[in-house]
Amino acid sequence: MNAKTKIASSDDLKNLIRDVPDFPKKGIIFKDITPILKDPDALRYAVNELSILLEEFQPDQIVGIESRGFIFSPILAYKLRAGFIPVRKKGKLPAETIRTSYQLEYGESELEIHQDAILKGMKVAVVDDLLATGGTSKAAIHLVEKLGGQVAAVAFLVELTFLKGREKLRGYNIFSLVQY
Amino acid sequence: MNAKTKIASSDDLKNLIRDVPDFPKKGIIFKDITPILKDPDALRYAVNELSILLEEFQPDQIVGIESRGFIFSPILAYKLRAGFIPVRKKGKLPAETIRTSYQLEYGESELEIHQDAILKGMKVAVVDDLLATGGTSKAAIHLVEKLGGQVAAVAFLVELTFLKGREKLRGYNIFSLVQY
């Protein structure tokens, strides 16, 4: 009983994304992707397009960043017959981790990855829902490389081009399906 | 270059789960599923088995609970051609939500769902990685039902039977792949 939308292009995805003004705080227009997620055809289209972009790299592992980054990365791991590696906020992963800190708009935060998550030389794709300033992705890339992994590609559903995150990720293969 | 393990049963999945003592606090033995997630064959096996359990219910939507609950639920949404609905901690979802509180071991927490996430009469499956006391799942079920959704099934990768979460979820179709 889901609504039937016809999804045949990235513009159709873009049309589903909802602007939420003043979230998470005054003056920010939040790009809400949940209308894509709840639409089976749109979810399917987005996953298939991201999969096409990544498959040529034959990643061994797909890295996803807590929490919204956990949505597309496990599906792509399944679809590309890769494994899924969670990168989480400090204190959430149970076994031995390595850690990196990164800048937020105000202050700093820390991300962790399990020490045994990635073997030296493994090909890794980092997947997240949104490329904004690139700080979080850069931190995840740093963790993968510290473990000896090779970041073959970084893919996003949505890219906010005006925040120039792509510049911070220069030298990597960067992909996004929907741009603002 | 991933390790080749032969995964042909739930026992093979169970053998991959790692006990982490004293996490998140002294005296708790944490069941770490990340060795399953990073093993492409194990991830695939787990998803396929969960999918077989859920497909007869033909769910319109798969609900996942932040954060670890976001891992299997989006894959199952993709595989079963359903949508994916996130249930998140208070303040994380951008649009209009409804909210419910639930008991933690010490104190209370709150979960939210978007008000427009589920249409009246939709068939919903709730998927999480772990059934412990059942409090979180019960809260998610409550949110779905408040929106008029029909909870057709609730599925978990791991069930800690000694915590009797199944009793709290009596009356629902409950499934788990690995039991302790």
Short mmCIF file of all heavy atoms in Angstrom, two decimals, chain A residues 1-2 18 20 30 34 37-38 40 44 47-48 60-61 66-68 70-71 74-75 78-79 81 83-84 88 94 114 116 120 122, chain B residues 1-2 18 20 30 34 37-38 40 44 47-48 60-61 66-68 70-71 74 78-79 81 83-84 88 94 114 116 120 122:
data_model
loop_
_atom_site.label_atom_id
_atom_site.label_comp_id
_atom_site.label_asym_id
_atom_site.label_seq_id
_atom_site.Cartn_x
_atom_site.Cartn_y
_atom_site.Cartn_z
N MET A 1 0.81 -1.21 0.00
CA MET A 1 0.00 0.00 0.00
C MET A 1 0.85 1.27 0.00
O MET A 1 0.39 2.33 0.38
CB MET A 1 -0.99 0.01 1.16
CG MET A 1 -0.43 -0.03 2.54
SD MET A 1 -1.75 0.19 3.78
CE MET A 1 -2.23 1.89 3.53
N ASN A 2 2.13 1.13 -0.42
CA ASN A 2 2.94 2.34 -0.56
C ASN A 2 2.49 3.11 -1.79
O ASN A 2 1.97 2.54 -2.74
CB ASN A 2 4.40 1.95 -0.71
CG ASN A 2 4.99 1.47 0.61
OD1 ASN A 2 5.05 2.21 1.57
ND2 ASN A 2 5.40 0.20 0.65
N ARG A 18 12.96 16.68 1.32
CA ARG A 18 12.11 17.70 1.94
C ARG A 18 12.98 18.71 2.68
O ARG A 18 13.87 18.33 3.44
CB ARG A 18 11.18 16.96 2.89
CG ARG A 18 10.52 17.73 3.96
CD ARG A 18 9.37 16.94 4.57
NE ARG A 18 9.79 15.76 5.34
CZ ARG A 18 8.94 14.97 6.00
NH1 ARG A 18 7.64 15.20 5.96
NH2 ARG A 18 9.38 13.94 6.68
N VAL A 20 13.55 21.13 5.59
CA VAL A 20 13.01 21.44 6.93
C VAL A 20 13.75 22.67 7.46
O VAL A 20 14.93 22.59 7.79
CB VAL A 20 13.18 20.25 7.89
CG1 VAL A 20 12.59 20.57 9.26
CG2 VAL A 20 12.53 18.99 7.31
N PHE A 30 17.44 22.04 6.62
CA PHE A 30 17.85 20.64 6.66
C PHE A 30 17.27 19.89 5.46
O PHE A 30 16.09 20.03 5.14
CB PHE A 30 17.35 20.02 7.96
CG PHE A 30 17.86 18.63 8.21
CD1 PHE A 30 19.11 18.43 8.79
CD2 PHE A 30 17.11 17.52 7.86
CE1 PHE A 30 19.59 17.14 9.03
CE2 PHE A 30 17.58 16.23 8.09
CZ PHE A 30 18.82 16.05 8.67
N THR A 34 14.22 11.27 4.46
CA THR A 34 13.33 10.16 4.85
C THR A 34 12.21 9.88 3.83
O THR A 34 11.79 8.73 3.72
CB THR A 34 12.74 10.35 6.28
OG1 THR A 34 11.96 11.55 6.33
CG2 THR A 34 13.85 10.42 7.32
N LEU A 37 13.65 7.27 1.69
CA LEU A 37 13.81 5.97 2.37
C LEU A 37 12.50 5.20 2.46
O LEU A 37 12.48 3.98 2.32
CB LEU A 37 14.36 6.19 3.79
CG LEU A 37 15.68 6.95 3.89
CD1 LEU A 37 16.06 7.14 5.35
CD2 LEU A 37 16.80 6.24 3.14
N LYS A 38 11.40 5.92 2.66
CA LYS A 38 10.13 5.21 2.85
C LYS A 38 9.44 4.85 1.54
O LYS A 38 8.43 4.14 1.55
CB LYS A 38 9.20 6.02 3.77
CG LYS A 38 8.50 7.18 3.12
CD LYS A 38 7.50 7.82 4.08
CE LYS A 38 6.89 9.06 3.47
NZ LYS A 38 5.97 9.75 4.38
N PRO A 40 9.67 2.65 -1.55
CA PRO A 40 10.46 1.49 -1.99
C PRO A 40 11.16 1.70 -3.35
O PRO A 40 12.31 1.29 -3.51
CB PRO A 40 9.43 0.36 -2.08
CG PRO A 40 8.36 0.76 -1.11
CD PRO A 40 8.30 2.27 -1.18
N ARG A 44 15.19 1.92 -3.80
CA ARG A 44 15.78 0.97 -4.74
C ARG A 44 16.62 1.69 -5.81
O ARG A 44 17.72 1.29 -6.13
CB ARG A 44 14.63 0.20 -5.39
CG ARG A 44 15.03 -1.08 -5.95
CD ARG A 44 13.90 -2.06 -6.14
NE ARG A 44 14.56 -3.31 -6.45
CZ ARG A 44 14.99 -4.15 -5.54
NH1 ARG A 44 14.78 -3.96 -4.28
NH2 ARG A 44 15.64 -5.23 -5.92
N VAL A 47 19.87 3.12 -4.22
CA VAL A 47 20.85 2.06 -3.94
C VAL A 47 21.47 1.54 -5.25
O VAL A 47 22.68 1.39 -5.34
CB VAL A 47 20.18 0.89 -3.18
CG1 VAL A 47 21.10 -0.33 -3.13
CG2 VAL A 47 19.78 1.32 -1.78
N ASN A 48 20.62 1.32 -6.24
CA ASN A 48 21.14 0.78 -7.50
C ASN A 48 22.11 1.74 -8.18
O ASN A 48 23.14 1.32 -8.70
CB ASN A 48 19.99 0.42 -8.44
CG ASN A 48 19.18 -0.76 -7.92
OD1 ASN A 48 19.64 -1.49 -7.03
ND2 ASN A 48 17.99 -0.95 -8.46
N ASP A 60 36.28 -4.37 -0.85
CA ASP A 60 36.17 -5.49 0.08
C ASP A 60 35.23 -5.13 1.21
O ASP A 60 34.53 -5.98 1.75
CB ASP A 60 37.55 -5.80 0.71
CG ASP A 60 38.57 -6.20 -0.32
OD1 ASP A 60 38.34 -7.20 -1.01
OD2 ASP A 60 39.60 -5.48 -0.45
N GLN A 61 35.26 -3.85 1.61
CA GLN A 61 34.48 -3.40 2.75
C GLN A 61 33.82 -2.05 2.45
O GLN A 61 34.42 -1.21 1.77
CB GLN A 61 35.38 -3.22 3.99
CG GLN A 61 36.01 -4.52 4.49
CD GLN A 61 35.01 -5.47 5.14
OE1 GLN A 61 33.94 -5.06 5.59
NE2 GLN A 61 35.34 -6.76 5.17
N GLU A 66 28.11 6.32 11.87
CA GLU A 66 26.95 6.48 12.73
C GLU A 66 26.34 7.89 12.63
O GLU A 66 27.09 8.86 12.61
CB GLU A 66 27.39 6.24 14.18
CG GLU A 66 26.28 6.33 15.18
CD GLU A 66 26.77 5.99 16.61
OE1 GLU A 66 28.00 6.03 16.84
OE2 GLU A 66 25.93 5.69 17.44
N SER A 67 24.99 8.03 12.68
CA SER A 67 23.94 7.03 12.60
C SER A 67 23.36 6.96 11.18
O SER A 67 23.08 5.89 10.69
CB SER A 67 22.77 7.41 13.50
OG SER A 67 23.09 7.41 14.84
N ARG A 68 23.14 8.11 10.55
CA ARG A 68 22.46 8.07 9.25
C ARG A 68 23.31 7.40 8.19
O ARG A 68 22.79 6.87 7.21
CB ARG A 68 22.03 9.47 8.80
CG ARG A 68 20.86 10.03 9.63
CD ARG A 68 20.08 11.07 8.84
NE ARG A 68 20.99 11.94 8.12
CZ ARG A 68 21.50 13.07 8.62
NH1 ARG A 68 21.16 13.49 9.83
NH2 ARG A 68 22.33 13.79 7.93
N PHE A 70 24.67 4.72 8.53
CA PHE A 70 24.42 3.27 8.60
C PHE A 70 23.31 2.84 7.65
O PHE A 70 23.05 1.66 7.50
CB PHE A 70 24.01 2.86 10.02
CG PHE A 70 25.15 2.78 11.01
CD1 PHE A 70 26.42 3.16 10.67
CD2 PHE A 70 24.92 2.30 12.30
CE1 PHE A 70 27.47 3.08 11.60
CE2 PHE A 70 25.94 2.21 13.22
CZ PHE A 70 27.22 2.59 12.88
N ILE A 71 22.61 3.79 7.03
CA ILE A 71 21.43 3.40 6.24
C ILE A 71 21.82 2.85 4.87
O ILE A 71 21.47 1.73 4.51
CB ILE A 71 20.44 4.58 6.11
CG1 ILE A 71 19.94 4.96 7.52
CG2 ILE A 71 19.27 4.20 5.20
CD1 ILE A 71 19.10 6.22 7.57
N PRO A 74 25.17 -0.37 4.69
CA PRO A 74 24.95 -1.83 4.79
C PRO A 74 24.26 -2.40 3.54
O PRO A 74 24.57 -3.51 3.13
CB PRO A 74 24.05 -1.99 6.01
CG PRO A 74 24.18 -0.72 6.78
CD PRO A 74 24.46 0.34 5.77
N ILE A 75 23.35 -1.63 2.96
CA ILE A 75 22.68 -2.15 1.74
C ILE A 75 23.71 -2.33 0.64
O ILE A 75 23.71 -3.33 -0.08
CB ILE A 75 21.57 -1.20 1.22
CG1 ILE A 75 20.66 -0.71 2.35
CG2 ILE A 75 20.75 -1.91 0.14
CD1 ILE A 75 19.51 0.18 1.87
N TYR A 78 25.82 -5.39 1.20
CA TYR A 78 25.08 -6.59 0.80
C TYR A 78 25.06 -6.73 -0.72
O TYR A 78 25.37 -7.79 -1.27
CB TYR A 78 23.65 -6.51 1.34
CG TYR A 78 22.79 -7.68 0.94
CD1 TYR A 78 22.86 -8.88 1.63
CD2 TYR A 78 21.93 -7.59 -0.15
CE1 TYR A 78 22.09 -9.97 1.26
CE2 TYR A 78 21.15 -8.67 -0.53
CZ TYR A 78 21.23 -9.86 0.18
OH TYR A 78 20.47 -10.93 -0.21
N LYS A 79 24.74 -5.66 -1.40
CA LYS A 79 24.58 -5.71 -2.85
C LYS A 79 25.89 -5.96 -3.58
O LYS A 79 25.93 -6.64 -4.60
CB LYS A 79 23.94 -4.39 -3.31
CG LYS A 79 23.35 -4.48 -4.69
CD LYS A 79 22.47 -3.31 -5.00
CE LYS A 79 22.26 -3.22 -6.50
NZ LYS A 79 21.53 -4.38 -7.06
N ARG A 81 28.43 -7.54 -2.33
CA ARG A 81 29.08 -8.71 -1.70
C ARG A 81 30.37 -8.32 -0.98
O ARG A 81 31.39 -9.01 -1.04
CB ARG A 81 29.36 -9.81 -2.74
CG ARG A 81 28.08 -10.39 -3.28
CD ARG A 81 28.29 -11.46 -4.35
NE ARG A 81 27.01 -12.02 -4.77
CZ ARG A 81 26.48 -13.13 -4.27
NH1 ARG A 81 27.11 -13.83 -3.35
NH2 ARG A 81 25.31 -13.55 -4.70
N GLY A 83 31.87 -6.55 2.93
CA GLY A 83 31.51 -6.51 4.34
C GLY A 83 31.11 -5.10 4.72
O GLY A 83 31.28 -4.15 3.93
N PHE A 84 30.57 -4.94 5.92
CA PHE A 84 30.18 -3.63 6.41
C PHE A 84 30.94 -3.32 7.70
O PHE A 84 30.97 -4.13 8.63
CB PHE A 84 28.67 -3.56 6.70
CG PHE A 84 28.26 -2.36 7.49
CD1 PHE A 84 28.35 -1.09 6.93
CD2 PHE A 84 27.85 -2.47 8.81
CE1 PHE A 84 28.00 0.04 7.66
CE2 PHE A 84 27.49 -1.35 9.56
CZ PHE A 84 27.57 -0.09 8.98
N ARG A 88 31.99 4.65 14.58
CA ARG A 88 31.05 5.14 15.58
C ARG A 88 31.64 6.24 16.45
O ARG A 88 32.85 6.44 16.47
CB ARG A 88 30.56 4.00 16.47
CG ARG A 88 29.85 2.89 15.66
CD ARG A 88 28.98 2.02 16.54
NE ARG A 88 27.87 2.78 17.10
CZ ARG A 88 26.95 2.27 17.90
NH1 ARG A 88 26.99 1.00 18.23
NH2 ARG A 88 25.98 3.02 18.38
N PRO A 94 32.53 -1.97 21.00
CA PRO A 94 32.90 -2.74 22.19
C PRO A 94 34.35 -3.22 22.26
O PRO A 94 34.91 -3.29 23.35
CB PRO A 94 31.94 -3.94 22.14
CG PRO A 94 31.59 -4.09 20.70
CD PRO A 94 31.58 -2.71 20.13
N HIS A 114 36.94 -0.28 14.88
CA HIS A 114 37.60 -1.44 15.49
C HIS A 114 38.97 -1.66 14.84
O HIS A 114 39.10 -1.59 13.62
CB HIS A 114 36.75 -2.70 15.30
CG HIS A 114 35.75 -2.93 16.40
ND1 HIS A 114 34.59 -3.63 16.20
CD2 HIS A 114 35.75 -2.56 17.71
CE1 HIS A 114 33.91 -3.68 17.35
NE2 HIS A 114 34.58 -3.04 18.26
N ASP A 116 40.59 -4.30 14.40
CA ASP A 116 40.69 -5.46 13.50
C ASP A 116 39.67 -5.38 12.36
O ASP A 116 39.38 -6.38 11.71
CB ASP A 116 40.49 -6.75 14.29
CG ASP A 116 39.10 -6.83 14.93
OD1 ASP A 116 38.33 -5.85 14.80
OD2 ASP A 116 38.79 -7.85 15.56
N LYS A 120 45.35 -4.78 6.12
CA LYS A 120 46.24 -3.96 5.29
C LYS A 120 46.00 -4.24 3.81
O LYS A 120 45.97 -5.41 3.40
CB LYS A 120 47.69 -4.33 5.66
CG LYS A 120 48.61 -3.14 5.69
CD LYS A 120 50.00 -3.51 6.13
CE LYS A 120 50.94 -2.47 5.56
NZ LYS A 120 51.70 -1.79 6.59
N MET A 122 43.27 -3.74 2.09
CA MET A 122 41.87 -3.93 1.70
C MET A 122 41.34 -2.70 0.96
O MET A 122 41.65 -1.57 1.33
CB MET A 122 40.99 -4.13 2.94
CG MET A 122 40.79 -5.56 3.30
SD MET A 122 39.54 -5.67 4.64
CE MET A 122 39.33 -7.46 4.68
N MET B 1 39.78 -9.63 -0.88
CA MET B 1 40.76 -10.20 0.06
C MET B 1 40.14 -10.47 1.44
O MET B 1 40.83 -10.56 2.43
CB MET B 1 41.99 -9.30 0.19
CG MET B 1 41.74 -7.90 0.69
SD MET B 1 43.32 -7.02 0.94
CE MET B 1 44.01 -7.89 2.35
N ASN B 2 38.82 -10.60 1.47
CA ASN B 2 38.21 -11.00 2.74
C ASN B 2 38.48 -12.47 3.02
O ASN B 2 38.63 -13.27 2.10
CB ASN B 2 36.69 -10.75 2.68
CG ASN B 2 36.35 -9.27 2.74
OD1 ASN B 2 36.64 -8.60 3.71
ND2 ASN B 2 35.75 -8.75 1.67
N ARG B 18 31.36 -12.24 18.95
CA ARG B 18 32.47 -12.15 19.89
C ARG B 18 31.97 -11.65 21.24
O ARG B 18 31.25 -10.67 21.31
CB ARG B 18 33.47 -11.16 19.25
CG ARG B 18 34.49 -10.55 20.14
CD ARG B 18 35.60 -9.90 19.33
NE ARG B 18 35.18 -8.72 18.56
CZ ARG B 18 36.01 -8.00 17.81
NH1 ARG B 18 37.27 -8.35 17.70
NH2 ARG B 18 35.57 -6.95 17.16
N VAL B 20 32.51 -9.65 24.46
CA VAL B 20 33.39 -8.60 24.99
C VAL B 20 33.00 -8.39 26.46
O VAL B 20 31.93 -7.85 26.75
CB VAL B 20 33.25 -7.28 24.21
CG1 VAL B 20 34.19 -6.22 24.77
CG2 VAL B 20 33.53 -7.50 22.73
N PHE B 30 29.17 -8.35 26.48
CA PHE B 30 28.55 -7.78 25.29
C PHE B 30 28.71 -8.75 24.11
O PHE B 30 29.79 -9.29 23.87
CB PHE B 30 29.22 -6.45 24.97
CG PHE B 30 28.56 -5.68 23.87
CD1 PHE B 30 27.46 -4.86 24.13
CD2 PHE B 30 29.02 -5.76 22.56
CE1 PHE B 30 26.85 -4.15 23.12
CE2 PHE B 30 28.41 -5.05 21.54
CZ PHE B 30 27.32 -4.24 21.82
N THR B 34 29.99 -7.36 15.11
CA THR B 34 30.75 -6.77 13.99
C THR B 34 31.55 -7.81 13.18
O THR B 34 31.74 -7.61 11.98
CB THR B 34 31.66 -5.60 14.44
OG1 THR B 34 32.62 -6.07 15.40
CG2 THR B 34 30.85 -4.47 15.02
N LEU B 37 29.24 -8.70 10.46
CA LEU B 37 29.03 -7.63 9.49
C LEU B 37 30.17 -7.51 8.49
O LEU B 37 29.95 -7.23 7.31
CB LEU B 37 28.86 -6.28 10.22
CG LEU B 37 27.75 -6.22 11.27
CD1 LEU B 37 27.76 -4.86 11.95
CD2 LEU B 37 26.39 -6.49 10.65
N LYS B 38 31.39 -7.73 8.96
CA LYS B 38 32.55 -7.53 8.07
C LYS B 38 32.84 -8.75 7.20
O LYS B 38 33.70 -8.68 6.31
CB LYS B 38 33.79 -7.11 8.87
CG LYS B 38 34.49 -8.21 9.62
CD LYS B 38 35.78 -7.68 10.26
CE LYS B 38 36.40 -8.76 11.11
NZ LYS B 38 37.61 -8.31 11.79
N PRO B 40 31.54 -10.88 4.33
CA PRO B 40 30.49 -10.77 3.31
C PRO B 40 29.55 -11.98 3.26
O PRO B 40 28.35 -11.80 3.10
CB PRO B 40 31.27 -10.63 1.99
CG PRO B 40 32.59 -10.05 2.40
CD PRO B 40 32.88 -10.62 3.76
N ARG B 44 25.62 -11.81 4.28
CA ARG B 44 24.68 -12.27 3.27
C ARG B 44 23.75 -13.36 3.81
O ARG B 44 22.54 -13.34 3.60
CB ARG B 44 25.50 -12.82 2.10
CG ARG B 44 24.79 -12.78 0.83
CD ARG B 44 25.66 -12.85 -0.39
NE ARG B 44 24.76 -12.65 -1.49
CZ ARG B 44 24.40 -11.47 -1.94
NH1 ARG B 44 24.94 -10.38 -1.45
NH2 ARG B 44 23.53 -11.36 -2.91
N VAL B 47 21.23 -11.81 6.33
CA VAL B 47 20.18 -11.05 5.64
C VAL B 47 19.21 -11.99 4.93
O VAL B 47 17.99 -11.82 5.03
CB VAL B 47 20.80 -10.07 4.62
CG1 VAL B 47 19.73 -9.47 3.72
CG2 VAL B 47 21.57 -8.97 5.34
N ASN B 48 19.75 -12.98 4.25
CA ASN B 48 18.88 -13.89 3.49
C ASN B 48 17.95 -14.66 4.42
O ASN B 48 16.76 -14.84 4.12
CB ASN B 48 19.71 -14.84 2.63
CG ASN B 48 20.41 -14.11 1.48
OD1 ASN B 48 20.06 -12.96 1.18
ND2 ASN B 48 21.39 -14.74 0.87
N ASP B 60 5.03 -3.52 4.09
CA ASP B 60 5.16 -2.29 3.30
C ASP B 60 6.38 -1.51 3.74
O ASP B 60 7.03 -0.84 2.94
CB ASP B 60 3.93 -1.39 3.50
CG ASP B 60 2.64 -2.05 3.06
OD1 ASP B 60 2.56 -2.37 1.87
OD2 ASP B 60 1.75 -2.24 3.90
N GLN B 61 6.64 -1.55 5.05
CA GLN B 61 7.74 -0.77 5.62
C GLN B 61 8.52 -1.60 6.63
O GLN B 61 7.94 -2.42 7.35
CB GLN B 61 7.18 0.48 6.34
CG GLN B 61 6.49 1.48 5.42
CD GLN B 61 7.44 2.22 4.49
OE1 GLN B 61 8.64 2.31 4.75
NE2 GLN B 61 6.91 2.73 3.38
N GLU B 66 17.53 3.47 15.82
CA GLU B 66 18.89 4.02 15.94
C GLU B 66 19.66 3.35 17.09
O GLU B 66 19.10 3.15 18.16
CB GLU B 66 18.75 5.52 16.24
CG GLU B 66 20.06 6.23 16.36
CD GLU B 66 19.85 7.74 16.58
OE1 GLU B 66 18.77 8.15 17.02
OE2 GLU B 66 20.81 8.47 16.31
N SER B 67 20.99 3.10 16.94
CA SER B 67 21.81 3.20 15.75
C SER B 67 22.04 1.82 15.13
O SER B 67 22.01 1.66 13.94
CB SER B 67 23.21 3.73 16.08
OG SER B 67 23.21 5.02 16.55
N ARG B 68 22.31 0.81 15.98
CA ARG B 68 22.65 -0.49 15.41
C ARG B 68 21.48 -1.12 14.67
O ARG B 68 21.66 -1.92 13.77
CB ARG B 68 23.20 -1.43 16.48
CG ARG B 68 24.61 -1.04 16.97
CD ARG B 68 25.35 -2.24 17.54
NE ARG B 68 24.45 -3.03 18.35
CZ ARG B 68 24.25 -2.88 19.66
NH1 ARG B 68 24.92 -1.96 20.32
NH2 ARG B 68 23.41 -3.64 20.30
N PHE B 70 19.81 0.30 12.58
CA PHE B 70 19.82 0.80 11.19
C PHE B 70 20.61 -0.12 10.27
O PHE B 70 20.61 0.08 9.07
CB PHE B 70 20.47 2.19 11.13
CG PHE B 70 19.59 3.33 11.60
CD1 PHE B 70 18.35 3.11 12.16
CD2 PHE B 70 20.03 4.65 11.46
CE1 PHE B 70 17.55 4.16 12.59
CE2 PHE B 70 19.24 5.71 11.89
CZ PHE B 70 18.00 5.47 12.45
N ILE B 71 21.29 -1.11 10.80
CA ILE B 71 22.17 -1.91 9.94
C ILE B 71 21.40 -2.95 9.13
O ILE B 71 21.48 -2.97 7.90
CB ILE B 71 23.30 -2.57 10.77
CG1 ILE B 71 24.15 -1.48 11.43
CG2 ILE B 71 24.16 -3.48 9.88
CD1 ILE B 71 25.20 -2.00 12.41
N PRO B 74 17.62 -1.51 6.85
CA PRO B 74 17.60 -0.97 5.48
C PRO B 74 17.89 -2.05 4.42
O PRO B 74 17.32 -2.01 3.34
CB PRO B 74 18.73 0.08 5.47
CG PRO B 74 18.99 0.38 6.91
CD PRO B 74 18.68 -0.87 7.66
N TYR B 78 15.36 -2.98 1.32
CA TYR B 78 15.79 -3.09 -0.07
C TYR B 78 15.42 -4.46 -0.65
O TYR B 78 14.82 -4.55 -1.72
CB TYR B 78 17.29 -2.85 -0.16
CG TYR B 78 17.84 -2.99 -1.56
CD1 TYR B 78 17.73 -1.94 -2.47
CD2 TYR B 78 18.43 -4.16 -1.98
CE1 TYR B 78 18.21 -2.06 -3.76
CE2 TYR B 78 18.92 -4.30 -3.27
CZ TYR B 78 18.80 -3.25 -4.16
OH TYR B 78 19.27 -3.38 -5.44
N LYS B 79 15.77 -5.49 0.09
CA LYS B 79 15.59 -6.86 -0.41
C LYS B 79 14.12 -7.23 -0.55
O LYS B 79 13.75 -7.96 -1.47
CB LYS B 79 16.29 -7.82 0.55
CG LYS B 79 16.54 -9.18 -0.08
CD LYS B 79 17.52 -10.01 0.70
CE LYS B 79 17.37 -11.47 0.31
NZ LYS B 79 17.72 -11.73 -1.09
N ARG B 81 11.69 -5.13 -1.09
CA ARG B 81 11.01 -4.07 -1.84
C ARG B 81 10.01 -3.31 -0.97
O ARG B 81 8.89 -2.99 -1.39
CB ARG B 81 10.32 -4.63 -3.10
CG ARG B 81 11.35 -5.16 -4.08
CD ARG B 81 10.71 -5.74 -5.33
NE ARG B 81 11.73 -6.18 -6.27
CZ ARG B 81 12.20 -5.45 -7.28
NH1 ARG B 81 11.71 -4.25 -7.51
NH2 ARG B 81 13.14 -5.93 -8.07
N GLY B 83 9.75 -0.01 2.13
CA GLY B 83 10.44 1.22 2.49
C GLY B 83 11.15 1.04 3.83
O GLY B 83 10.94 0.04 4.52
N PHE B 84 11.97 2.03 4.17
CA PHE B 84 12.67 2.00 5.46
C PHE B 84 12.28 3.21 6.30
O PHE B 84 12.32 4.35 5.82
CB PHE B 84 14.19 1.99 5.25
CG PHE B 84 14.95 2.26 6.52
CD1 PHE B 84 14.96 1.34 7.55
CD2 PHE B 84 15.64 3.46 6.71
CE1 PHE B 84 15.64 1.60 8.74
CE2 PHE B 84 16.32 3.73 7.89
CZ PHE B 84 16.31 2.79 8.91
N ARG B 88 14.14 7.19 15.93
CA ARG B 88 15.36 7.79 16.46
C ARG B 88 15.18 8.34 17.87
O ARG B 88 14.06 8.49 18.35
CB ARG B 88 15.85 8.91 15.52
CG ARG B 88 16.16 8.40 14.11
CD ARG B 88 17.06 9.35 13.36
NE ARG B 88 18.37 9.46 13.99
CZ ARG B 88 19.37 10.21 13.55
NH1 ARG B 88 19.20 10.95 12.45
NH2 ARG B 88 20.53 10.24 14.17
N PRO B 94 14.01 15.41 11.75
CA PRO B 94 13.81 16.83 11.46
C PRO B 94 12.35 17.28 11.36
O PRO B 94 12.04 18.42 11.75
CB PRO B 94 14.50 17.00 10.10
CG PRO B 94 14.49 15.65 9.48
CD PRO B 94 14.60 14.67 10.61
N HIS B 114 8.66 9.87 12.56
CA HIS B 114 7.97 10.93 11.82
C HIS B 114 6.47 10.63 11.75
O HIS B 114 6.07 9.50 11.47
CB HIS B 114 8.54 11.04 10.39
CG HIS B 114 9.72 11.96 10.27
ND1 HIS B 114 10.67 11.80 9.30
CD2 HIS B 114 10.08 13.06 10.98
CE1 HIS B 114 11.58 12.77 9.42
NE2 HIS B 114 11.25 13.53 10.44
N ASP B 116 4.38 11.34 9.54
CA ASP B 116 3.90 10.90 8.22
C ASP B 116 4.63 9.65 7.72
O ASP B 116 4.58 9.32 6.54
CB ASP B 116 4.06 12.03 7.20
CG ASP B 116 5.52 12.42 6.99
OD1 ASP B 116 6.41 11.86 7.68
OD2 ASP B 116 5.79 13.29 6.12
N LYS B 120 -2.15 4.61 7.78
CA LYS B 120 -3.06 3.72 8.50
C LYS B 120 -3.21 2.39 7.75
O LYS B 120 -3.45 2.39 6.55
CB LYS B 120 -4.42 4.41 8.61
CG LYS B 120 -5.10 4.19 9.94
CD LYS B 120 -6.39 4.96 10.03
CE LYS B 120 -7.27 4.27 11.07
NZ LYS B 120 -7.62 5.16 12.17
N MET B 122 -0.91 0.16 7.12
CA MET B 122 0.32 -0.37 6.51
C MET B 122 0.85 -1.54 7.33
O MET B 122 0.82 -1.52 8.55
CB MET B 122 1.40 0.71 6.49
CG MET B 122 1.44 1.49 5.21
SD MET B 122 2.93 2.55 5.20
CE MET B 122 2.83 3.15 3.50
#
